[in-house]
Amino acid sequence: RRDHLKIHKLKKKILRKQVRAQHTLMRHEDIECISHATQSLVIANAGLGNGMSRHQLLRIVEEYGLVETLLMPPNKPYSFVKYGTTEEAKKAFDALNGKEVTLEDFGQNIVLYINFVEKVFWQNAAPTSLPPGLMVIEKIISPEEERRMLESIDWTADEDTQNAQKTLKHRKVKHFGYEFCYDNNNVDKDKPLPGGLPEICDLFLEKCLKQGYIQHKPDQLTINQYEPGQGIPPHIDTHSAFEDEIISLSLGSEIVMDFKHPDGRTVAVMLPRCSLLVMAGESRYMWTHGITPRKYDVIQASELGQKVGTITADVGDLTLNRRETRTSFTFRKVRRSPCNCIYSSVCDSQKGQQRQVQPSFPHSEMEASKLEQEYVHKVYEEIATHFSSTRHSPWPQIVEFLRSLPKGSIVADVGCGNGKYLGINEDLYMVGCDRSKNLVDICGEKNFQAFVCDALSVPIRSGSCDACISIAVIHHFSTAERRLATIRELARLLRPGGMALIYVWAMEQEYKNQKSKYLKEKNGSKDKEEEISTGVAQTPLSDQMPDSSSQDSACSDQLLNDSKDKGCDAEPVADSRLPVHTNRTSFHSQDLLVPWHLKGGPKKKGESADTVLFPAGSKESQELSPVFHRYYHVFCEGELEAACRSLDCVRVQKSYYDQGNWCVVLEKL
């Protein structure tokens, strides 16, 4: 009787764990478990995220039949298995549910919990490309050369090594040529170390010069030895300390290195044993690089950890790779003059000089991203509270649009700002999103549903919205391609027949002999700001941009031509600095900077066009003036409509002018 009770309790526990696993899967992946038998199983506690390797899991599940598919999502504690027949899946279900197994590489016992699912399906993320300027060259040296280089390192505990080890938490490190000072991330250029670089590196460096991987022979070398579990924090090698190319040789073991762009893009890169990493240009100056401290890396299974390039989220081809002791030889060329790179926002040589440089019209995706980061995103983070205090009066035609929607409609406000439209119609289910965390926090204080995200990658399922609104957002994007892509993303969210309302600031602030409210209020209260920009732009990620095909390029050109044909008298901005607009006056350029005078700060009469320029949040912005500058592209008549009509998936149902804005209502086909 006691054994019977024990078995009963065990079965109840397994059932409870099964149900919990079902809820986890539903919450994380929106995948529903089912009660009847199918060919497909989800196995909880057997995932890459809790130490189960593909090799071990395959051995376990193959005992019960032919495995057609094994999907192991990165960092998740569950996996999906599809058998050739339902009978085989049922056999595995009966045998493995509640079964205790030992993780081979960890020596730890876990219990498997199994559920049936309708089918095994996983949408992989789009393949990522290497950061611009980054190269990984496989087998740059032979195993024999590797052995000689490793044997040449004397790790005996001299004073230099002991000091470095204290700084680096016992990671072994040696410096040659110049010592790298970790307290200020720089080198003392007046104190070279005796002896220079080791002779054993000469042939290797000559090969790198001959192959064009570096332009100058390095004069500084740092050797690091990493034990499994050790890493390095994300960082950018100091601009003022070293020249452009930085090269790093991986010896003893492969490793996964993580790269991150300031706009949030991340790329995991496999560095095989005996490979050379070359960082130049954007990848060296703009992207941080680091190694996450862990004992296992998620890698491509088919290449057994030797795949050069990015680690893609191919759940059908991922496994765990145990790290081993790795030694890196990192070569740099010490810089003798200040850095004058084009990445001034992250350049220590150019700190404090930025206010002397007026930003230019962007001529590349990288320049556009940088411009918007400095003159849109940072600004709205700084001015969010004051901005919100001026944004409490909803615009009548937007209210009319929201109140015309059927009861129960799901509506996304992309670029919701402080959420002033989220509570207009209580019969709707509205959710807002915005690039500014501070503005989203204000939405939260009002008990609105809102989250921080990118306007070109809204984490809402395609075709799930009955309507979308984009109010005063798209005019903050600095290229025609980016503006078109924001409209395409709105269309993606809509179900067929769904509607989108878009507002952008108009070049024509006087239309049909009527001045806009913006111009009329020129002589109003000195603290009153223009009411037009009711939202903020989201950061567009360049790897999520539409393909730069000839069709898109032609479309951009056509949009510009359409604007000119409509009689838009904007001055061209090509190869010129962006003008600073004088508030409450007509526009003379389509691309410009609009000042925001932060409430409570000193403001002199007539101080708009001559205000000192600097990015938001800089030391100068806090000390010299409370004036911030926001980038805008004001739209000519017909320009927004032309962009919308270039998309095959939508129909322009209505277009109109509303108090200094061009407005369009779209319908998803």
Side-chain angles (χ1 to χ4, degrees):
R1 182 176 172 84
R2 189 175 294 173
D3 288 344
H4 181 73
L5 188 63
K6 192 175 179 181
I7 292 169
H8 179 69
K9 281 186 176 179
L10 182 61
K11 284 184 176 179
K12 281 186 70 175
K13 180 183 178 182
I14 291 172
L15 181 61
R16 194 167 63 247
K17 296 282 190 177
Q18 268 184 290
V19 171
R20 185 182 295 176
Q22 292 172 11
H23 290 318
T24 299
L25 192 65
M26 190 68 186
R27 190 170 64 249
H28 286 198
E29 313 298 349
D30 200 23
I31 295 175
E32 188 174 2
C33 296
I34 54 180
S35 55
H36 63 272
T38 67
Q39 291 173 252
S40 303
L41 303 173
V42 57
I43 308 180
N45 270 4
L48 298 175
N50 65 309
M52 178 70 76
S53 72
R54 175 173 294 271
H55 176 70
Q56 183 181 5
L57 184 55
L58 262 177
R59 262 212 333 272
I60 292 171
V61 296
E62 281 179 338
E63 284 186 36
Y64 307 100
L66 177 66
V67 174
E68 288 190 359
T69 309
L70 173 59
L71 301 184
M72 302 186 75
N75 307 314
K76 300 293 184 182
Y78 42 78
S79 298
F80 299 90
V81 181
K82 182 183 179 185
Y83 283 95
T85 66
T86 302
E87 289 72 27
E88 290 171 329
K90 181 75 168 61
K91 188 178 173 185
F93 178 92
D94 293 336
L96 295 176
N97 194 28
K99 182 181 174 70
E100 188 175 52
V101 298
T102 302
L103 292 173
E104 286 177 349
D105 292 325
F106 290 83
Q108 175 186 341
N109 289 353
I110 58 165
V111 179
L112 307 180
Y113 298 103
I114 320 294
N115 282 288
F116 288 105
V117 289
E118 193 65 56
K119 60 180 179 178
V120 173
F121 172 77
W122 195 275
Q123 189 169 1
N124 289 319
T128 51
S129 55
L130 291 174
L134 191 76
M135 285 192 297
V136 181
I137 297 96
E138 237 183 324
K139 298 177 182 175
I140 187 78
I141 61 172
S142 67
E144 176 60 24
E145 290 171 310
E146 177 194 40
R147 184 188 62 77
R148 288 203 302 268
M149 291 184 83
L150 288 173
E151 288 177 353
S152 72
I153 310 167
D154 180 9
W155 289 119
T156 52
D158 57 11
E159 186 181 342
D160 174 53
T161 303
Q162 287 176 349
N163 291 338
Q165 285 181 307
K166 286 177 189 174
T167 309
L168 298 174
K169 297 182 181 178
H170 309 294
R171 189 176 88 217
K172 289 185 179 179
V173 63
K174 291 183 78 70
H175 300 288
F176 298 88
Y178 293 84
E179 182 172 1
F180 187 83
C181 305
Y182 291 95
D183 53 351
N184 63 0
N185 292 324
N186 216 318
V187 292
D188 188 339
K189 299 171 186 177
D190 298 323
K191 292 184 179 178
L193 296 172
L197 270 55
E199 284 184 24
I200 197 164
C201 298
D202 287 344
L203 282 175
F204 168 72
L205 291 175
E206 283 176 22
K207 182 193 293 187
C208 292
L209 281 164
K210 187 176 180 181
Q211 296 292 332
Y213 301 140
I214 50 177
Q215 304 302 314
H216 310 282
K217 188 169 183 179
D219 52 9
Q220 194 275 336
L221 165 65
T222 300
I223 302 177
N224 282 288
Q225 188 176 94
Y226 307 86
E227 295 301 325
Q230 293 181 324
I232 50 175
H235 67 285
I236 298 174
D237 285 67
T238 312
H239 288 208
S240 62
F242 305 110
E243 294 283 356
D244 189 351
E245 302 99 344
I246 292 174
I247 59 174
S248 185
L249 188 61
S250 291
L251 306 178
S253 175
E254 67 272 359
I255 198 80
V256 173
M257 184 172 280
D258 299 305
F259 288 80
K260 186 171 183 179
H261 190 276
D263 65 14
R265 278 176 288 159
T266 57
V267 179
V269 179
M270 166 58 76
L271 305 180
R273 184 175 179 174
C274 293
S275 71
L276 180 69
L277 171 72
V278 180
M279 293 184 290
E282 185 180 319
S283 66
R284 179 266 186 269
Y285 286 123
M286 196 80 171
W287 294 65
T288 63
H289 62 278
I291 296 173
T292 305
R294 58 191 175 213
K295 293 189 176 180
Y296 291 81
D297 283 319
V298 175
I299 65 166
Q300 241 72 59
S302 59
E303 300 289 341
L304 300 177
Q306 296 299 308
K307 179 164 181 155
V308 174
T310 62
I311 306 298
T312 62
D314 179 0
V315 298
D317 185 37
L318 293 180
T319 190
L320 294 176
N321 185 53
R322 182 197 282 270
R323 286 186 181 174
E324 297 175 5
T325 301
R326 171 181 174 264
T327 304
S328 67
F329 280 56
T330 302
F331 298 90
R332 308 174 181 92
K333 174 72 174 172
V334 173
R335 185 182 289 281
R336 300 294 171 182
S337 57
C339 179
N340 63 348
C341 67
I342 63 172
Y343 311 95
S344 57
S345 64
V346 290
C347 181
D348 62 311
S349 287
Q350 299 177 63
K351 290 270 174 73
Q353 301 176 20
Q354 292 182 16
R355 60 194 169 124
Q356 302 167 7
V357 180
Q358 191 171 329
S360 298
F361 179 80
H363 292 97
S364 69
E365 286 303 316
M366 185 195 69
E367 289 177 11
S369 176
K370 181 181 169 188
L371 174 68
E372 291 158 15
Q373 179 67 23
E374 294 292 336
Y375 292 94
V376 179
H377 309 141
K378 285 186 179 180
V379 174
Y380 278 100
E381 284 298 309
E382 291 286 333
I383 70 173
T385 302
H386 181 209
F387 177 83
S388 179
S389 71
T390 70
R391 299 302 187 269
H392 35 67
S393 302
W395 286 39
Q397 295 203 59
I398 300 171
V399 173
E400 183 184 337
F401 174 82
L402 292 172
R403 288 188 175 156
S404 70
L405 297 172
K407 186 175 181 178
S409 294
I410 297 171
V411 184
D413 184 348
V414 180
C416 62
N418 68 347
K420 75 175 183 178
Y421 291 107
L422 294 179
I424 291 296
N425 184 350
E426 292 184 358
D427 290 333
L428 305 176
Y429 180 78
M430 288 197 70
V431 61
C433 58
D434 204 286
R435 176 62 173 77
S436 166
K437 181 183 182 298
N438 290 337
L439 285 171
V440 167
D441 287 344
I442 292 170
C443 293
E445 290 165 9
K446 299 176 181 178
N447 293 319
F448 292 141
Q449 298 292 321
F451 54 87
V452 178
C453 84
D454 181 297
L456 292 184
S457 185
V458 180
I460 295 175
R461 195 167 62 238
S462 299
S464 61
C465 295
D466 298 297
C468 297
I469 60 173
S470 170
I471 311 301
V473 174
I474 295 174
H475 53 219
H476 283 306
F477 291 100
S478 55
T479 67
E481 289 82 6
R482 289 175 183 250
R483 294 187 285 272
L484 183 63
T486 60
I487 302 170
R488 186 183 283 111
E489 179 69 351
L490 288 174
R492 181 189 68 79
L493 301 179
L494 293 174
R495 62 165 175 79
M499 312 289 284
L501 174 65
I502 302 172
Y503 267 55
V504 294
W505 208 351
M507 177 84 177
E508 301 84 352
Q509 288 297 303
E510 189 167 342
Y511 187 68
K512 294 185 177 177
N513 297 322
Q514 289 284 317
K515 286 187 177 180
S516 69
K517 187 180 179 184
Y518 173 68
L519 291 184
K520 285 179 184 175
E521 288 178 352
K522 183 176 180 181
N523 299 319
S525 165
K526 72 173 184 176
D527 283 330
K528 190 171 179 74
E529 294 295 333
E530 65 271 28
E531 293 287 336
I532 188 70
S533 47
T534 51
V536 304
Q538 326 295 310
T539 308
L541 304 185
S542 63
D543 63 344
Q544 293 168 327
M545 288 300 298
D547 294 334
S548 53
S549 64
S550 57
Q551 183 180 357
D552 284 330
S553 302
C555 176
S556 310
D557 296 339
Q558 186 60 45
L559 299 186
L560 296 174
N561 292 337
D562 286 346
S563 303
K564 292 169 187 171
D565 293 342
K566 292 285 184 182
C568 196
D569 57 353
E571 294 175 359
V573 294
D575 301 314
S576 66
R577 300 290 178 185
L578 289 170
V580 179
H581 177 60
T582 301
N583 281 334
R584 308 293 172 192
T585 65
S586 298
F587 296 116
H588 301 292
S589 171
Q590 276 193 274
D591 297 275
L592 42 82
L593 300 174
V594 177
W596 179 279
H597 299 270
L598 198 62
K599 190 174 183 179
K603 177 183 169 187
K604 299 173 186 175
K605 188 176 180 182
E607 175 200 48
S608 283
D610 299 326
T611 304
V612 175
L613 291 176
F614 42 81
S618 64
K619 187 177 178 183
E620 292 82 358
S621 74
Q622 296 160 8
E623 293 178 356
L624 301 179
S625 172
V627 183
F628 297 89
H629 292 81
R630 298 165 294 163
Y631 167 81
Y632 280 85
H633 171 86
V634 290
F635 280 67
C636 291
E637 182 175 6
E639 185 180 354
L640 176 61
E641 195 173 342
C644 295
R645 290 189 190 283
S646 71
L647 298 178
D648 295 331
C649 58
V650 296
R651 175 171 59 218
V652 176
Q653 197 180 75
K654 181 182 178 184
S655 60
Y656 58 97
Y657 179 90
D658 183 18
Q659 282 297 331
N661 297 273
W662 289 115
C663 321
V664 161
V665 177
L666 299 178
E667 181 183 3
K668 177 76 170 283
L669 298 175

